[in-house]
Amino acid sequence: MPAVLAFTGPGRRLLLALKYGNTKPVVAALAGAMARRARRFDVDVVTWAPTSTARRRDRGYDQAEVLARAVAWRLGVPCRRLLTRVGDDARPQTGRTREERLDGPRFAAWGSRPVRARTVLVVDDVVTTGATLRAAEAALKAAGAGAVLAVAAAATP
């Protein structure tokens, strides 16, 4: 799974500024790099691994959605909300242990219509264990997506 930065040092500071400091000017650079990684694939639609409702409410935005919309624009494909967090795992991943993160959040397809895209690109901000993206992929495939690919702004080493 391609990530454009390591979630350490300057990369970590950059992502934390986006997540917690509403530093949206970094989105252009990150999305450009993420789109360059995704260009080698024939992507039909871009979506994102949504943050928890509480985090979105606290921040006023979902950083993964902001990145996904910018990546989709650069790729020239639509960006659609295809996932929602469900169940008691709608809580944030931040602050959870590695073992708790491995269980990951649970997702379901957003809305009642099936996903009719051959290839969906899922955008996430930070990947630690990969559980979030695996859960997103499972939900999208269960909803009818063909291939599910992923790109992230950063990943833990």
Side-chain angles (χ1 to χ4, degrees):
M1 173 211 4
V4 299
L5 297 171
F7 193 60
T8 60
R12 186 175 193 279
R13 287 191 296 278
L14 187 70
L15 263 292
L16 292 177
L18 173 62
K19 287 177 77 147
Y20 302 111
N22 199 13
T23 311
K24 292 183 185 173
V26 304
V27 170
L30 288 171
M34 294 166 78
R36 283 190 294 280
R37 294 272 175 116
R39 272 203 182 95
R40 63 181 171 223
F41 304 108
D42 187 20
V43 173
D44 298 307
V45 65
V46 174
T47 194
W48 62 95
T51 191
S52 69
T53 302
R55 290 282 192 200
R56 183 182 181 101
R57 186 175 44 249
D58 290 347
R59 292 181 191 138
Y61 63 98
D62 181 335
Q63 68 280 355
E65 179 182 1
V66 171
L67 287 167
R69 292 194 181 284
V71 168
W73 182 81
R74 282 162 178 76
L75 293 175
V77 299
C79 183
R80 298 216 169 81
R81 180 174 185 173
L82 298 177
L83 296 167
T84 187
R85 284 188 184 225
V86 296
D88 62 350
D89 284 328
R91 70 185 198 270
Q93 291 284 81
T94 304
R96 297 172 87 184
T97 66
R98 177 170 175 76
E99 290 74 29
E100 290 171 330
R101 286 174 188 255
L102 283 169
D103 189 30
R106 289 181 179 79
F107 294 105
W110 174 259
S112 59
R113 294 187 314 188
V115 176
R116 298 192 190 277
R118 285 175 313 169
T119 305
V120 177
L121 178 67
V122 179
V123 170
D124 202 3
D125 57 344
V126 179
V127 177
T128 53
T129 64
T132 296
L133 293 174
R134 285 190 298 276
E137 177 183 19
L140 289 166
K141 285 192 171 188
V148 178
L149 306 170
V151 66
T156 55

Short mmCIF file of all heavy atoms in Angstrom, two decimals, residues 34-92:
data_model
loop_
_atom_site.label_atom_id
_atom_site.label_comp_id
_atom_site.label_asym_id
_atom_site.label_seq_id
_atom_site.Cartn_x
_atom_site.Cartn_y
_atom_site.Cartn_z
N MET A 34 0.01 11.99 -3.62
CA MET A 34 -0.85 10.81 -3.56
C MET A 34 -1.42 10.49 -4.94
O MET A 34 -1.48 9.32 -5.33
CB MET A 34 -1.97 11.04 -2.53
CG MET A 34 -1.44 11.14 -1.10
SD MET A 34 -2.66 11.80 0.06
CE MET A 34 -3.67 10.34 0.32
N ALA A 35 -1.82 11.50 -5.67
CA ALA A 35 -2.36 11.29 -7.02
C ALA A 35 -1.29 10.72 -7.94
O ALA A 35 -1.59 9.85 -8.78
CB ALA A 35 -2.91 12.60 -7.58
N ARG A 36 -0.06 11.18 -7.81
CA ARG A 36 1.02 10.63 -8.64
C ARG A 36 1.18 9.14 -8.37
O ARG A 36 1.42 8.35 -9.29
CB ARG A 36 2.33 11.37 -8.40
CG ARG A 36 2.37 12.73 -9.10
CD ARG A 36 3.73 13.37 -9.07
NE ARG A 36 4.17 13.74 -7.73
CZ ARG A 36 3.79 14.83 -7.09
NH1 ARG A 36 2.95 15.69 -7.64
NH2 ARG A 36 4.27 15.10 -5.87
N ARG A 37 1.03 8.72 -7.12
CA ARG A 37 1.11 7.29 -6.79
C ARG A 37 -0.04 6.50 -7.41
O ARG A 37 0.12 5.36 -7.80
CB ARG A 37 1.08 7.08 -5.27
CG ARG A 37 2.26 7.60 -4.53
CD ARG A 37 3.33 6.52 -4.49
NE ARG A 37 4.53 7.05 -3.87
CZ ARG A 37 5.03 6.61 -2.74
NH1 ARG A 37 4.44 5.66 -2.08
NH2 ARG A 37 6.15 7.13 -2.27
N ALA A 38 -1.23 7.12 -7.44
CA ALA A 38 -2.43 6.41 -7.90
C ALA A 38 -2.59 6.44 -9.41
O ALA A 38 -3.38 5.66 -9.96
CB ALA A 38 -3.66 7.03 -7.24
N ARG A 39 -1.87 7.29 -10.12
CA ARG A 39 -2.05 7.44 -11.57
C ARG A 39 -1.77 6.17 -12.35
O ARG A 39 -2.28 5.99 -13.45
CB ARG A 39 -1.15 8.56 -12.10
CG ARG A 39 -1.83 9.86 -12.02
CD ARG A 39 -1.26 10.89 -12.98
NE ARG A 39 -1.99 12.12 -12.75
CZ ARG A 39 -1.58 13.10 -11.96
NH1 ARG A 39 -0.42 13.00 -11.35
NH2 ARG A 39 -2.31 14.16 -11.78
N ARG A 40 -0.98 5.29 -11.80
CA ARG A 40 -0.65 4.08 -12.54
C ARG A 40 -1.82 3.08 -12.59
O ARG A 40 -1.75 2.08 -13.26
CB ARG A 40 0.59 3.43 -11.96
CG ARG A 40 0.43 2.98 -10.54
CD ARG A 40 1.72 2.37 -10.00
NE ARG A 40 1.56 2.15 -8.57
CZ ARG A 40 2.47 2.43 -7.69
NH1 ARG A 40 3.62 2.94 -8.06
NH2 ARG A 40 2.25 2.20 -6.43
N PHE A 41 -2.88 3.38 -11.85
CA PHE A 41 -4.06 2.51 -11.81
C PHE A 41 -5.21 3.17 -12.57
O PHE A 41 -5.29 4.39 -12.65
CB PHE A 41 -4.48 2.24 -10.36
CG PHE A 41 -3.38 1.66 -9.53
CD1 PHE A 41 -2.77 2.42 -8.56
CD2 PHE A 41 -2.95 0.36 -9.73
CE1 PHE A 41 -1.75 1.90 -7.78
CE2 PHE A 41 -1.93 -0.18 -8.97
CZ PHE A 41 -1.32 0.60 -8.00
N ASP A 42 -6.10 2.36 -13.08
CA ASP A 42 -7.29 2.86 -13.77
C ASP A 42 -8.41 2.98 -12.74
O ASP A 42 -9.21 2.06 -12.57
CB ASP A 42 -7.67 1.89 -14.90
CG ASP A 42 -8.78 2.43 -15.76
OD1 ASP A 42 -9.02 3.66 -15.75
OD2 ASP A 42 -9.43 1.62 -16.44
N VAL A 43 -8.47 4.11 -12.06
CA VAL A 43 -9.41 4.33 -10.96
C VAL A 43 -10.70 4.92 -11.51
O VAL A 43 -10.69 5.85 -12.31
CB VAL A 43 -8.79 5.29 -9.92
CG1 VAL A 43 -9.78 5.67 -8.86
CG2 VAL A 43 -7.54 4.67 -9.32
N ASP A 44 -11.85 4.37 -11.07
CA ASP A 44 -13.16 4.88 -11.47
C ASP A 44 -13.71 5.92 -10.51
O ASP A 44 -14.42 6.83 -10.92
CB ASP A 44 -14.17 3.72 -11.57
CG ASP A 44 -13.78 2.71 -12.60
OD1 ASP A 44 -13.54 3.11 -13.75
OD2 ASP A 44 -13.71 1.52 -12.26
N VAL A 45 -13.44 5.74 -9.23
CA VAL A 45 -13.99 6.63 -8.21
C VAL A 45 -13.03 6.63 -7.01
O VAL A 45 -12.36 5.64 -6.74
CB VAL A 45 -15.42 6.20 -7.78
CG1 VAL A 45 -15.43 4.84 -7.10
CG2 VAL A 45 -16.08 7.25 -6.91
N VAL A 46 -13.00 7.77 -6.33
CA VAL A 46 -12.19 7.90 -5.12
C VAL A 46 -13.15 8.05 -3.94
O VAL A 46 -14.17 8.74 -4.04
CB VAL A 46 -11.26 9.13 -5.20
CG1 VAL A 46 -10.52 9.36 -3.89
CG2 VAL A 46 -10.28 8.97 -6.36
N THR A 47 -12.81 7.42 -2.84
CA THR A 47 -13.54 7.58 -1.59
C THR A 47 -12.53 7.67 -0.46
O THR A 47 -11.33 7.72 -0.71
CB THR A 47 -14.56 6.43 -1.38
OG1 THR A 47 -15.47 6.79 -0.32
CG2 THR A 47 -13.88 5.11 -1.06
N TRP A 48 -13.00 7.70 0.76
CA TRP A 48 -12.09 7.83 1.89
C TRP A 48 -12.54 6.94 3.03
O TRP A 48 -13.69 6.53 3.09
CB TRP A 48 -12.00 9.29 2.35
CG TRP A 48 -13.29 9.87 2.83
CD1 TRP A 48 -13.74 9.94 4.13
CD2 TRP A 48 -14.34 10.44 2.03
NE1 TRP A 48 -14.99 10.52 4.17
CE2 TRP A 48 -15.37 10.85 2.89
CE3 TRP A 48 -14.49 10.67 0.67
CZ2 TRP A 48 -16.54 11.44 2.45
CZ3 TRP A 48 -15.66 11.27 0.21
CH2 TRP A 48 -16.66 11.64 1.10
N ALA A 49 -11.60 6.66 3.92
CA ALA A 49 -11.90 5.94 5.16
C ALA A 49 -12.33 7.01 6.16
O ALA A 49 -11.50 7.77 6.66
CB ALA A 49 -10.67 5.20 5.65
N PRO A 50 -13.64 7.12 6.43
CA PRO A 50 -14.12 8.24 7.24
C PRO A 50 -13.66 8.18 8.69
O PRO A 50 -13.54 7.10 9.27
CB PRO A 50 -15.64 8.13 7.14
CG PRO A 50 -15.91 6.72 6.78
CD PRO A 50 -14.72 6.24 6.00
N THR A 51 -13.41 9.36 9.24
CA THR A 51 -13.09 9.46 10.65
C THR A 51 -14.37 9.26 11.45
O THR A 51 -15.47 9.21 10.89
CB THR A 51 -12.42 10.82 10.96
OG1 THR A 51 -11.89 10.79 12.27
CG2 THR A 51 -13.40 11.97 10.83
N SER A 52 -14.25 9.18 12.74
CA SER A 52 -15.44 9.01 13.58
C SER A 52 -16.28 10.29 13.55
O SER A 52 -15.78 11.38 13.28
CB SER A 52 -15.03 8.68 15.01
OG SER A 52 -14.43 9.81 15.61
N THR A 53 -17.55 10.13 13.84
CA THR A 53 -18.46 11.28 13.88
C THR A 53 -18.00 12.30 14.91
O THR A 53 -18.05 13.51 14.67
CB THR A 53 -19.89 10.81 14.20
OG1 THR A 53 -20.28 9.87 13.20
CG2 THR A 53 -20.87 11.96 14.23
N ALA A 54 -17.53 11.82 16.05
CA ALA A 54 -17.06 12.74 17.10
C ALA A 54 -15.86 13.56 16.62
O ALA A 54 -15.80 14.77 16.85
CB ALA A 54 -16.71 11.95 18.36
N ARG A 55 -14.92 12.91 15.95
CA ARG A 55 -13.75 13.64 15.44
C ARG A 55 -14.16 14.65 14.38
O ARG A 55 -13.66 15.77 14.36
CB ARG A 55 -12.72 12.68 14.85
CG ARG A 55 -12.02 11.84 15.86
CD ARG A 55 -10.96 12.65 16.55
NE ARG A 55 -10.12 11.74 17.30
CZ ARG A 55 -9.35 12.10 18.29
NH1 ARG A 55 -9.29 13.36 18.67
NH2 ARG A 55 -8.63 11.22 18.91
N ARG A 56 -15.04 14.26 13.50
CA ARG A 56 -15.49 15.18 12.46
C ARG A 56 -16.19 16.39 13.09
O ARG A 56 -15.97 17.53 12.68
CB ARG A 56 -16.43 14.48 11.49
CG ARG A 56 -16.85 15.37 10.35
CD ARG A 56 -17.83 14.66 9.41
NE ARG A 56 -18.17 15.54 8.34
CZ ARG A 56 -17.66 15.49 7.12
NH1 ARG A 56 -16.77 14.57 6.82
NH2 ARG A 56 -18.01 16.36 6.20
N ARG A 57 -17.00 16.14 14.07
CA ARG A 57 -17.71 17.23 14.76
C ARG A 57 -16.72 18.15 15.48
O ARG A 57 -16.80 19.37 15.38
CB ARG A 57 -18.73 16.66 15.73
CG ARG A 57 -19.62 17.68 16.39
CD ARG A 57 -20.72 17.07 17.26
NE ARG A 57 -20.26 15.98 18.11
CZ ARG A 57 -20.61 14.70 17.94
NH1 ARG A 57 -21.43 14.35 16.97
NH2 ARG A 57 -20.15 13.76 18.75
N ASP A 58 -15.74 17.57 16.17
CA ASP A 58 -14.74 18.37 16.89
C ASP A 58 -13.90 19.23 15.95
O ASP A 58 -13.63 20.39 16.25
CB ASP A 58 -13.81 17.47 17.70
CG ASP A 58 -14.48 16.82 18.90
OD1 ASP A 58 -15.61 17.25 19.26
OD2 ASP A 58 -13.90 15.88 19.46
N ARG A 59 -13.48 18.66 14.84
CA ARG A 59 -12.60 19.38 13.90
C ARG A 59 -13.35 20.26 12.92
O ARG A 59 -12.79 21.19 12.37
CB ARG A 59 -11.76 18.37 13.10
CG ARG A 59 -10.77 17.64 13.93
CD ARG A 59 -9.97 16.68 13.05
NE ARG A 59 -9.20 15.81 13.91
CZ ARG A 59 -9.04 14.52 13.73
NH1 ARG A 59 -9.59 13.92 12.69
NH2 ARG A 59 -8.33 13.81 14.56
N GLY A 60 -14.58 19.87 12.64
CA GLY A 60 -15.34 20.60 11.63
C GLY A 60 -15.11 20.07 10.23
O GLY A 60 -15.65 20.61 9.26
N TYR A 61 -14.33 19.02 10.09
CA TYR A 61 -14.05 18.42 8.78
C TYR A 61 -13.45 17.04 9.00
O TYR A 61 -13.05 16.70 10.11
CB TYR A 61 -13.08 19.28 7.96
CG TYR A 61 -11.71 19.43 8.59
CD1 TYR A 61 -10.65 18.63 8.17
CD2 TYR A 61 -11.47 20.35 9.61
CE1 TYR A 61 -9.40 18.74 8.75
CE2 TYR A 61 -10.23 20.47 10.18
CZ TYR A 61 -9.19 19.66 9.76
OH TYR A 61 -7.96 19.77 10.33
N ASP A 62 -13.39 16.26 7.95
CA ASP A 62 -12.75 14.95 7.95
C ASP A 62 -11.51 15.08 7.07
O ASP A 62 -11.63 15.30 5.86
CB ASP A 62 -13.71 13.90 7.41
CG ASP A 62 -13.14 12.50 7.40
OD1 ASP A 62 -11.90 12.34 7.35
OD2 ASP A 62 -13.93 11.55 7.41
N GLN A 63 -10.35 14.98 7.65
CA GLN A 63 -9.10 15.20 6.90
C GLN A 63 -8.94 14.19 5.77
O GLN A 63 -8.42 14.53 4.71
CB GLN A 63 -7.88 15.20 7.82
CG GLN A 63 -7.55 13.87 8.45
CD GLN A 63 -8.41 13.54 9.66
OE1 GLN A 63 -9.22 14.33 10.11
NE2 GLN A 63 -8.22 12.35 10.21
N ALA A 64 -9.42 12.97 5.93
CA ALA A 64 -9.32 11.99 4.85
C ALA A 64 -10.23 12.39 3.68
O ALA A 64 -9.87 12.22 2.51
CB ALA A 64 -9.67 10.59 5.35
N GLU A 65 -11.39 12.94 3.99
CA GLU A 65 -12.28 13.41 2.92
C GLU A 65 -11.66 14.58 2.16
O GLU A 65 -11.71 14.64 0.93
CB GLU A 65 -13.63 13.85 3.49
CG GLU A 65 -14.57 14.37 2.43
CD GLU A 65 -15.90 14.87 2.97
OE1 GLU A 65 -16.12 14.82 4.19
OE2 GLU A 65 -16.73 15.31 2.15
N VAL A 66 -11.05 15.51 2.90
CA VAL A 66 -10.40 16.65 2.26
C VAL A 66 -9.31 16.16 1.30
O VAL A 66 -9.21 16.62 0.15
CB VAL A 66 -9.82 17.61 3.32
CG1 VAL A 66 -8.94 18.68 2.69
CG2 VAL A 66 -10.95 18.24 4.14
N LEU A 67 -8.51 15.21 1.76
CA LEU A 67 -7.46 14.64 0.90
C LEU A 67 -8.07 13.90 -0.29
O LEU A 67 -7.60 14.04 -1.42
CB LEU A 67 -6.57 13.70 1.71
CG LEU A 67 -5.62 14.35 2.70
CD1 LEU A 67 -5.03 13.31 3.65
CD2 LEU A 67 -4.51 15.10 1.97
N ALA A 68 -9.11 13.10 -0.05
CA ALA A 68 -9.72 12.31 -1.13
C ALA A 68 -10.28 13.21 -2.22
O ALA A 68 -10.10 12.94 -3.41
CB ALA A 68 -10.83 11.42 -0.56
N ARG A 69 -10.93 14.28 -1.84
CA ARG A 69 -11.49 15.19 -2.85
C ARG A 69 -10.38 15.84 -3.68
O ARG A 69 -10.52 15.99 -4.89
CB ARG A 69 -12.40 16.23 -2.18
CG ARG A 69 -13.65 15.58 -1.61
CD ARG A 69 -14.74 16.54 -1.24
NE ARG A 69 -15.88 15.83 -0.68
CZ ARG A 69 -16.77 15.14 -1.38
NH1 ARG A 69 -16.66 15.05 -2.69
NH2 ARG A 69 -17.77 14.52 -0.78
N ALA A 70 -9.29 16.18 -3.03
CA ALA A 70 -8.17 16.78 -3.75
C ALA A 70 -7.48 15.76 -4.66
O ALA A 70 -7.08 16.10 -5.78
CB ALA A 70 -7.18 17.39 -2.75
N VAL A 71 -7.35 14.53 -4.21
CA VAL A 71 -6.75 13.48 -5.04
C VAL A 71 -7.65 13.20 -6.25
O VAL A 71 -7.17 13.12 -7.38
CB VAL A 71 -6.51 12.19 -4.22
CG1 VAL A 71 -6.17 11.01 -5.13
CG2 VAL A 71 -5.42 12.40 -3.18
N ALA A 72 -8.95 13.07 -6.03
CA ALA A 72 -9.88 12.80 -7.12
C ALA A 72 -9.84 13.90 -8.17
O ALA A 72 -9.84 13.62 -9.37
CB ALA A 72 -11.30 12.64 -6.57
N TRP A 73 -9.79 15.14 -7.71
CA TRP A 73 -9.73 16.27 -8.64
C TRP A 73 -8.48 16.16 -9.52
O TRP A 73 -8.55 16.35 -10.73
CB TRP A 73 -9.73 17.59 -7.86
CG TRP A 73 -9.71 18.78 -8.74
CD1 TRP A 73 -10.77 19.34 -9.39
CD2 TRP A 73 -8.56 19.55 -9.09
NE1 TRP A 73 -10.34 20.43 -10.13
CE2 TRP A 73 -8.99 20.58 -9.96
CE3 TRP A 73 -7.21 19.48 -8.75
CZ2 TRP A 73 -8.11 21.52 -10.49
CZ3 TRP A 73 -6.35 20.42 -9.28
CH2 TRP A 73 -6.80 21.42 -10.14
N ARG A 74 -7.35 15.81 -8.91
CA ARG A 74 -6.11 15.68 -9.66
C ARG A 74 -6.13 14.50 -10.62
O ARG A 74 -5.49 14.53 -11.66
CB ARG A 74 -4.92 15.58 -8.71
CG ARG A 74 -4.55 16.94 -8.14
CD ARG A 74 -3.68 16.84 -6.90
NE ARG A 74 -3.31 18.15 -6.42
CZ ARG A 74 -4.12 18.98 -5.76
NH1 ARG A 74 -5.36 18.61 -5.49
NH2 ARG A 74 -3.70 20.15 -5.35
N LEU A 75 -6.88 13.46 -10.26
CA LEU A 75 -7.00 12.29 -11.15
C LEU A 75 -8.08 12.46 -12.20
O LEU A 75 -8.16 11.67 -13.14
CB LEU A 75 -7.29 11.04 -10.32
CG LEU A 75 -6.19 10.56 -9.38
CD1 LEU A 75 -6.68 9.39 -8.54
CD2 LEU A 75 -4.93 10.18 -10.16
N GLY A 76 -8.94 13.46 -12.01
CA GLY A 76 -10.03 13.68 -12.96
C GLY A 76 -11.14 12.65 -12.86
O GLY A 76 -11.79 12.33 -13.86
N VAL A 77 -11.36 12.12 -11.66
CA VAL A 77 -12.43 11.14 -11.44
C VAL A 77 -13.32 11.64 -10.30
O VAL A 77 -12.91 12.49 -9.51
CB VAL A 77 -11.87 9.73 -11.12
CG1 VAL A 77 -11.04 9.20 -12.28
CG2 VAL A 77 -11.07 9.73 -9.83
N PRO A 78 -14.53 11.11 -10.19
CA PRO A 78 -15.42 11.56 -9.12
C PRO A 78 -14.93 11.10 -7.74
O PRO A 78 -14.26 10.08 -7.62
CB PRO A 78 -16.76 10.93 -9.45
CG PRO A 78 -16.51 9.89 -10.46
CD PRO A 78 -15.18 10.17 -11.10
N CYS A 79 -15.31 11.87 -6.74
CA CYS A 79 -15.08 11.50 -5.35
C CYS A 79 -16.45 11.35 -4.71
O CYS A 79 -17.27 12.28 -4.78
CB CYS A 79 -14.27 12.58 -4.63
SG CYS A 79 -13.89 12.15 -2.92
N ARG A 80 -16.70 10.20 -4.12
CA ARG A 80 -18.00 9.94 -3.51
C ARG A 80 -17.84 9.31 -2.13
O ARG A 80 -16.92 8.51 -1.91
CB ARG A 80 -18.80 8.98 -4.38
CG ARG A 80 -19.08 9.54 -5.74
CD ARG A 80 -20.42 9.13 -6.26
NE ARG A 80 -20.76 9.90 -7.43
CZ ARG A 80 -20.33 9.64 -8.66
NH1 ARG A 80 -19.53 8.64 -8.87
NH2 ARG A 80 -20.70 10.40 -9.67
N ARG A 81 -18.74 9.68 -1.26
CA ARG A 81 -18.77 9.01 0.05
C ARG A 81 -19.38 7.64 -0.16
O ARG A 81 -20.55 7.52 -0.52
CB ARG A 81 -19.59 9.80 1.05
CG ARG A 81 -19.60 9.10 2.39
CD ARG A 81 -20.28 9.89 3.47
NE ARG A 81 -20.10 9.16 4.72
CZ ARG A 81 -20.45 9.64 5.89
NH1 ARG A 81 -21.00 10.83 5.98
NH2 ARG A 81 -20.27 8.93 6.97
N LEU A 82 -18.59 6.61 0.04
CA LEU A 82 -19.05 5.24 -0.15
C LEU A 82 -19.06 4.44 1.15
O LEU A 82 -19.58 3.33 1.17
CB LEU A 82 -18.16 4.52 -1.17
CG LEU A 82 -18.14 5.11 -2.59
CD1 LEU A 82 -17.17 4.32 -3.46
CD2 LEU A 82 -19.54 5.14 -3.19
N LEU A 83 -18.49 4.99 2.22
CA LEU A 83 -18.36 4.26 3.48
C LEU A 83 -18.88 5.06 4.66
O LEU A 83 -18.82 6.29 4.66
CB LEU A 83 -16.89 3.92 3.74
CG LEU A 83 -16.21 2.99 2.75
CD1 LEU A 83 -14.71 3.02 2.95
CD2 LEU A 83 -16.75 1.57 2.91
N THR A 84 -19.33 4.34 5.68
CA THR A 84 -19.66 4.93 6.96
C THR A 84 -19.16 4.00 8.05
O THR A 84 -19.12 2.78 7.85
CB THR A 84 -21.18 5.19 7.09
OG1 THR A 84 -21.43 5.92 8.29
CG2 THR A 84 -21.98 3.90 7.09
N ARG A 85 -18.76 4.56 9.17
CA ARG A 85 -18.37 3.73 10.31
C ARG A 85 -19.62 3.23 11.00
O ARG A 85 -20.61 3.95 11.10
CB ARG A 85 -17.53 4.53 11.30
CG ARG A 85 -16.12 4.73 10.82
CD ARG A 85 -15.28 5.36 11.93
NE ARG A 85 -13.96 5.63 11.44
CZ ARG A 85 -12.85 5.36 12.11
NH1 ARG A 85 -12.92 4.84 13.30
NH2 ARG A 85 -11.69 5.63 11.59
N VAL A 86 -19.57 2.02 11.49
CA VAL A 86 -20.73 1.42 12.14
C VAL A 86 -20.34 0.76 13.46
O VAL A 86 -19.17 0.46 13.69
CB VAL A 86 -21.43 0.37 11.25
CG1 VAL A 86 -22.00 1.02 10.00
CG2 VAL A 86 -20.48 -0.75 10.87
N GLY A 87 -21.34 0.52 14.27
CA GLY A 87 -21.17 -0.23 15.51
C GLY A 87 -20.41 0.52 16.57
O GLY A 87 -20.21 1.73 16.49
N ASP A 88 -19.98 -0.21 17.57
CA ASP A 88 -19.26 0.41 18.69
C ASP A 88 -17.84 0.79 18.32
O ASP A 88 -17.15 1.42 19.10
CB ASP A 88 -19.28 -0.50 19.92
CG ASP A 88 -18.59 -1.83 19.69
OD1 ASP A 88 -18.25 -2.14 18.52
OD2 ASP A 88 -18.39 -2.56 20.66
N ASP A 89 -17.40 0.42 17.13
CA ASP A 89 -16.06 0.80 16.67
C ASP A 89 -16.07 2.11 15.92
O ASP A 89 -15.15 2.41 15.17
CB ASP A 89 -15.45 -0.31 15.81
CG ASP A 89 -14.96 -1.46 16.66
OD1 ASP A 89 -14.53 -1.21 17.79
OD2 ASP A 89 -15.01 -2.60 16.19
N ALA A 90 -17.11 2.90 16.10
CA ALA A 90 -17.16 4.21 15.47
C ALA A 90 -16.26 5.19 16.21
O ALA A 90 -16.09 6.31 15.80
CB ALA A 90 -18.60 4.73 15.43
N ARG A 91 -15.66 4.74 17.30
CA ARG A 91 -14.76 5.62 18.05
C ARG A 91 -13.43 5.77 17.30
O ARG A 91 -13.08 4.92 16.48
CB ARG A 91 -14.54 5.11 19.46
CG ARG A 91 -13.74 3.85 19.57
CD ARG A 91 -13.71 3.38 21.03
NE ARG A 91 -12.64 2.44 21.25
CZ ARG A 91 -12.76 1.14 21.11
NH1 ARG A 91 -13.91 0.62 20.72
NH2 ARG A 91 -11.74 0.35 21.34
N PRO A 92 -12.68 6.83 17.59
CA PRO A 92 -11.43 7.08 16.87
C PRO A 92 -10.37 6.00 17.12
O PRO A 92 -10.37 5.34 18.17
CB PRO A 92 -10.95 8.42 17.42
CG PRO A 92 -12.09 9.00 18.16
CD PRO A 92 -13.00 7.88 18.53
#
